[in-house]
Structure formats: structure tokens, C-alpha cells
Amino acid sequence: GAARYRDEAARELRRLGQRVAARQRRGGGEGLDALSGREREIAELVALGRTNREIGGELFLSEKTVEGHLTRVFGKLGVSSRAELAEVVGRARAGVR
């Protein structure tokens, strides 16, 4: 719950003209390690054959938000289709690079 208060405080400080450091994102690295937690979660659901609408419903996100996450996932992993993404996730599950 503290993260919510931190974010609200940062928004209020920005509104008042104060500079606030951006939140640090997780991720960085290669392959699926380059993805944030949410991006990886979405990648896993794509690999299970879920549609953007189904993913959005399951994670309480809009389809547009899911699309945005997938755009970043595709870029980070260097893939251009859901099938390629599923292949990358499958290889990671199997421990194959």
C-alpha cells in the first residue's frame, strides 16, 4: 500500500513544481530478464494463447494498455509476432537460450 502513497505524494510535488526522481523500473538484462514484471506477466499470458481482451480482463487493464505493454515487449525481445513471443517464452521455460 505504501507505493500508492509514494506515487500520490510524487504527483502532488510535481503539481507544485518540485522535481521528483522517477521511479526505478525493474528489468534490464537479456531475453525475458529485460522485461518488467508486468511485461513478463503479459508475455506469459500471450504464450498461453490469451487475447489482449482476455489479458486485460484478467489483469484489470484496458486493451490499449495491454497493447502498449506488448509493443515494449516486442521491442525488447526483438520479435514481431505473438507466435515468436510464445516461442521465446517457451524456450525460457525449457531453459533453452
Side-chain angles (χ1 to χ4, degrees):
R4 188 179 111 231
Y5 294 124
R6 178 201 59 220
D7 293 343
E8 287 176 6
R11 273 193 299 276
E12 184 64 16
L13 285 169
R14 284 188 194 100
R15 189 183 70 76
L16 295 170
Q18 295 292 314
R19 293 188 66 150
V20 178
R23 284 188 347 181
Q24 296 296 314
R25 301 271 182 192
R26 294 194 181 157
E30 288 185 13
L32 295 182
D33 292 336
L35 304 180
S36 70
R38 181 62 91 184
E39 290 167 347
R40 186 172 185 140
E41 192 173 16
I42 289 171
E44 294 278 348
L45 291 170
V46 166
L48 292 173
R50 302 289 199 295
T51 65
N52 288 1
R53 177 173 282 182
E54 291 168 337
I55 293 168
E58 190 168 328
L59 300 179
F60 303 100
L61 301 171
S62 73
E63 283 183 69
K64 203 70 165 167
T65 299
V66 173
E67 287 174 22
H69 282 298
L70 281 175
T71 297
R72 286 186 293 284
V73 168
F74 283 17
K76 288 180 180 181
L77 298 180
V79 299
S80 58
S81 71
R82 295 170 84 89
E84 286 180 274
L85 175 57
E87 191 176 307
V88 169
V89 171
R91 282 197 312 262
R93 284 184 189 151
V96 177
R97 290 228 168 223

